[in-house]
Amino acid sequence: MSKGLTITGVFLAESANYGESLGNVATLKKITRGKGDQYTYISRQAIRYNIVEQLGEPLSSLNAEGSGTKQVIQFDQNATIDKYPEVDLFGYMKTVKGDNALTRSAKVRLSNAISLETYKGDTDFLTNMGLAKRLRENGNEKAMNSIAQSEIHRSFYRYTVTVDLDEIGIDKNVDIELPNEEKSRRVKKLLETIQYLYRDIRGRRENLQPLFVIGGVYDRKNPLFENVVDVQQNKVDVEKIEGVLTEEIKENTFVGIVKGAFENTAEVQEVLNGQKVPQVFESLKQKVAEYYEGN
């Protein structure tokens, strides 16, 4: 039977993805909604980069097609899914001059991680005063401080991962299908990576481990909880989640929460059968193993 895995997680992080700077001001990536409220976000490309980096699997070989400024960096023609889990999970596009592009869509889909609290315009004032002072002490009296500003925002963030379990380990372009044991291993390795995900940025290591997580393996390959997981006044919005829980979905759903991370931990445990986050990931890995063992 056709199956998909989806999980939506909430983590706490600070200033984790910057966009293009304006002058000497480093600006966070943001979107605007409603009456002009701004929300910072971590792009799906950034999350994908961190997952691939921490997956612990061989990185795919690359090449550059084209010439001069029109060169396009892409996966090598010999980068196949049996050798590189990266192209198995996240897909590829390979082009050769004079031929049509060879594409395989991503089987692991990521959303942007969008802040659940609005950005209020906070900035950090930065200088290199310490280095400039040392240089002046060594005789360069003209050494001046450099001044910059950086937008900062600490918030809960929500993102969703959706996996097409039927398509993992299969590439019809080159007639490759991996054993079910390897398919299962790759998806479970992905779950482990998400469970302990982090992001290095500007001298900091931000912990992207979920403080709240909800998901399961379903007949529908839909990001079921992407638009209903929310945090208001440090409380998980349980009522909104309940609004999408049919009996079929509920019996296949696992919910995890870190005790004390939110003010309504007890409500999540009682109403949504919340358990510890590591238990949820173990349950999801077990469901993945059962699916591949039965196919």
Side-chain angles (χ1 to χ4, degrees):
M1 182 179 290
S2 178
K3 292 287 185 181
L5 178 150
T6 186
I7 54 173
T8 295
V10 175
F11 60 85
L12 181 65
E14 178 181 340
S15 311
N17 201 186
Y18 284 87
E20 186 175 359
S21 296
L22 299 175
N24 66 341
V25 180
T27 59
L28 291 166
K29 291 188 175 182
K30 295 184 287 290
I31 57 174
T32 305
R33 282 182 52 81
K35 297 180 180 180
D37 290 333
Q38 289 190 318
Y39 297 84
T40 60
Y41 72 93
I42 306 168
S43 71
R44 64 173 182 82
Q45 294 92 338
I47 296 172
R48 178 198 182 282
Y49 172 83
N50 292 131
I51 290 175
V52 171
E53 181 186 45
Q54 296 162 42
L55 197 58
E57 299 287 342
L59 294 176
S60 174
S61 53
L62 306 171
N63 65 20
E65 289 291 334
S67 60
T69 58
K70 295 185 178 180
Q71 276 195 340
V72 177
I73 299 174
Q74 60 183 13
F75 293 112
D76 187 81
Q77 294 294 317
N78 296 319
T80 52
I81 67 166
D82 54 334
K83 299 175 185 175
Y84 303 108
E86 175 185 5
V87 291
D88 181 18
L89 301 179
F90 296 106
Y92 61 75
M93 182 174 72
K94 304 173 184 177
T95 59
V96 178
K97 190 174 182 179
D99 290 339
N100 292 328
L102 194 64
T103 61
R104 178 176 179 272
S105 63
K107 309 309 173 186
V108 176
R109 302 280 180 159
L110 305 171
S111 73
N112 294 330
I114 300 175
S115 70
L116 298 177
E117 300 163 82
T118 57
Y119 173 66
K120 303 297 186 183
D122 295 323
T123 58
D124 189 16
F125 183 79
L126 308 168
T127 76
N128 65 341
M129 183 179 68
L131 296 178
K133 181 180 178 182
R134 282 165 52 185
L135 198 56
R136 288 194 294 269
E137 289 173 348
N138 289 328
N140 188 345
E141 297 180 357
K142 294 183 179 180
M144 301 295 292
N145 297 348
S146 296
I147 297 174
Q149 288 188 342
S150 180
E151 293 183 342
I152 55 174
H153 186 216
R154 185 167 179 81
S155 172
F156 289 115
Y157 288 82
R158 174 194 64 218
Y159 78 112
T160 298
V161 182
T162 306
V163 184
D164 188 336
L165 296 178
D166 303 318
E167 297 294 329
I168 294 293
I170 299 174
D171 190 347
K172 296 177 181 177
N173 289 328
V174 288
D175 196 24
I176 292 176
E177 180 167 0
L178 304 180
N180 281 353
E181 293 81 1
E182 177 62 13
K183 296 176 184 178
S184 179
R185 186 194 73 82
R186 290 183 177 187
V187 177
K188 289 189 286 186
K189 191 75 175 291
L190 173 69
L191 287 169
E192 289 175 4
T193 304
I194 292 169
Q195 182 180 354
Y196 297 106
L197 194 64
Y198 61 86
R199 177 166 173 76
D200 290 337
I201 183 166
R202 295 180 177 245
R204 294 175 282 112
R205 175 160 288 183
E206 291 294 323
N207 188 353
L208 309 189
Q209 286 182 264
L211 301 175
F212 172 86
V213 64
I214 183 170
V217 173
Y218 308 96
D219 295 338
R220 293 175 175 81
K221 302 174 183 180
N222 184 295
L224 296 167
F225 307 105
E226 183 175 8
N227 296 320
V228 297
V229 172
D230 201 0
V231 176
Q232 298 288 342
Q233 297 180 335
N234 205 37
K235 294 181 180 180
V236 176
D237 193 332
V238 172
E239 185 177 357
K240 188 180 289 187
I241 295 172
E242 281 191 294
V244 300
L245 289 179
T246 64
E247 286 302 317
E248 177 189 357
I249 293 174
K250 190 171 184 178
E251 68 182 17
N252 292 298
T253 296
F254 301 97
V255 177
I257 190 168
V258 173
K259 186 176 181 180
F262 305 94
E263 293 183 11
N264 62 333
T265 301
E267 181 187 12
V268 172
Q269 291 172 332
E270 180 181 350
V271 178
L272 300 177
N273 297 318
Q275 52 191 316
K276 293 181 179 179
V277 169
Q279 291 176 314
V280 170
F281 279 94
E282 287 303 315
S283 297
L284 291 173
K285 286 189 284 186
Q286 182 61 37
K287 287 293 184 181
V288 168
E290 290 173 1
Y291 168 73
Y292 285 117
E293 288 170 3
N295 284 276

